[in-house]
Amino acid sequence: MTATLAIGPYNEAERPPLKDSFDAQLIAGPADIAGIDAGLRDAFRAVAYKGHHPFGAAEMDLLPNIGLIANYGVGYDAIDVAAASARGIRVTNTPDVLNDDVADLAIAMWLQQGREMRQAETWLRDGKWESVGSVPLNRKLSGGTAGIMGLGRIGRDIADRLAAFKMDIHYHARSEKQTPGWTYHADPVDLAQAVDFLFVALVGGPETENYVSKEVIAALGPRGVVINISRGSCIDEGALLDALESGAIAGAGLDVFVGEPKVDPRFLKLDNVALQPHQGSGTVETRAAMAKLQRDNIAAHLAGTALLTPVN
Ligand code: NAP
């Protein structure tokens, strides 16, 4: 009898390894757990979790013998870790293997927002280069000031890339890091005041909800640009939209949104934003590495050996 329940929107490439390794039963989301026969539910010892639907105490109580929730992704804010710990359930995630891709996309959105390649390509495709002339000038990026909100694994990889663009690096996190030449700001508003480009790489969840507040956004000023690859919840999205529409800040590059995959239609009317459908880690290579790390954690749990990347 299968011991692993795979929950989430696994794609064609991800399903066979879960089946081959664990004979996993697959369901689309946590809402489908209750539909599984109680006898089968009792047999599950591990969950392979993917997606952003909340997975809390009620779902865990439907699976009384699981000892592990192995999350596909580094951000585990969808999982109630306190509820898991209270039930003796371990949680794992997939850190580090996705840092490069997420940092690359942050830089790509920054370049797109400043250098307006999408608009420039439309200019070319519409024949305006020939009929009107040169595309309107855009904005120099290299050599400016950048702030990283959350200098963790991904934040540090973004900062390393920005250093190669000769940027003056500032950052905020809960604690100061050993980063010679980079400037620490204990206060998020101070960080925003010091820079033109603010990259958000915080963890999600209740503790960081609206962390990029109305005050932080105002402190960025009219040349300010927000790039967010963390979670939509980390930014006061209403305040961001107001600032983008009024010109209180210059623009944004966003891979994550409140209530995604629904995106506030106000964003779609703006030309000063680069919008991406939460695809930071979305390369073939990195998704395969994430899936493997998830499976390795499940295998370790079922074998009774040490988990590779535990959260609790
Ligand atoms: P990480 O290494 O844990 O770094 C998180 C950063 O957030 C750290 O600098 C940490 O501060 C800071 N932080 C945590 N709690 C905070 C609080 N209460 N107040 C202020 N700062 C706080 O995480 P990571 O691996 O870099 O991943 C960051 C996030 O990126 C993930 O949680 C996920 O939501 C998101 N992500 C998005 C995508 C995508 O496709 N767009 C892909 C992967 C991950 P300290 O350094 O002081 O601890």
Side-chain angles (χ1 to χ4, degrees):
M1 191 178 285
T2 176
T4 300
L5 177 63
I7 305 176
Y10 289 97
N11 64 30
E12 294 299 322
E14 292 160 350
R15 287 177 200 169
L18 283 165
K19 278 270 179 205
D20 295 346
S21 304
F22 312 114
D23 190 24
Q25 178 169 344
L26 273 93
I27 57 174
D32 295 340
I33 300 172
I36 303 172
D37 177 80
L40 276 177
R41 280 194 268 119
D42 288 353
F44 292 123
R45 290 172 55 208
V47 166
Y49 196 69
K50 180 180 182 186
H52 302 286
H53 291 293
F55 191 79
E59 289 75 22
M60 294 173 200
D61 288 341
L62 289 170
L63 302 165
N65 294 314
I66 59 167
L68 175 71
I69 302 168
N71 189 50
Y72 176 109
V74 66
Y76 48 85
D77 42 305
I79 299 169
D80 186 339
V81 177
S85 297
R87 287 159 180 75
I89 301 170
R90 305 289 302 279
V91 177
T92 56
N93 65 345
T94 61
D96 288 319
V97 294
L98 41 65
N99 295 354
D100 281 335
D101 282 353
V102 182
D104 286 352
L105 193 78
I107 298 296
M109 291 193 294
W110 174 61
L111 292 171
Q112 159 54 36
Q113 202 287 325
R115 298 307 313 273
E116 300 181 351
M117 286 110 71
R118 176 172 46 79
Q119 297 89 328
E121 185 163 341
T122 301
W123 185 270
L124 180 154
R125 287 178 185 272
D126 288 353
K128 287 191 177 167
W129 191 11
E130 199 180 345
S131 64
V132 181
S134 296
V135 72
L137 301 182
N138 44 63
R139 181 172 180 183
K140 180 174 168 72
L141 297 173
S142 286
T145 51
I148 317 292
M149 190 77 89
L151 198 75
R153 291 171 291 244
I154 295 171
R156 206 172 269 258
D157 269 18
I158 294 171
D160 285 342
R161 281 159 174 72
L162 289 169
F165 284 87
K166 304 172 210 152
M167 302 297 283
D168 181 19
I169 312 282
H170 298 243
Y171 69 96
H172 166 79
R174 288 173 298 189
S175 63
E176 191 169 355
K177 319 294 178 198
Q178 291 297 321
T179 51
W182 298 357
T183 308
Y184 175 66
H185 297 263
D187 177 18
V189 173
D190 286 349
L191 173 69
Q193 251 154 12
V195 301
D196 279 342
F197 302 103
L198 183 69
F199 291 76
V200 186
L202 296 163
V203 298
E207 280 188 24
T208 55
E209 195 166 348
N210 293 343
Y211 205 85
V212 179
S213 61
K214 192 175 177 182
E215 291 72 28
V216 170
I217 294 165
L220 266 178
R223 289 193 47 86
V225 173
V226 177
I227 306 291
N228 187 17
I229 51 74
S230 61
R231 288 287 182 264
S233 59
C234 294
I235 298 185
D236 182 336
E237 208 172 75
L240 178 65
L241 277 160
D242 290 346
L244 288 166
E245 287 168 351
S246 69
I249 65 169
L254 307 169
D255 185 43
V256 285
F257 301 85
V258 173
E260 62 184 52
K262 282 200 178 117
V263 175
D264 192 315
R266 288 168 69 190
F267 280 118
L268 309 182
K269 298 197 178 106
L270 294 166
D271 204 36
N272 55 348
V273 292
L275 306 174
Q276 292 293 300
H278 198 155
Q279 66 128 336
S281 66
T283 65
V284 170
E285 296 84 353
T286 290
R287 289 289 168 86
M290 291 163 63
K292 181 172 184 312
L293 185 48
Q294 181 190 45
R295 290 196 305 276
D296 288 349
N297 275 302
I298 296 170
H301 172 69
L302 295 178
T305 57
L307 300 172
L308 282 82
T309 46
V311 166
N312 62 348

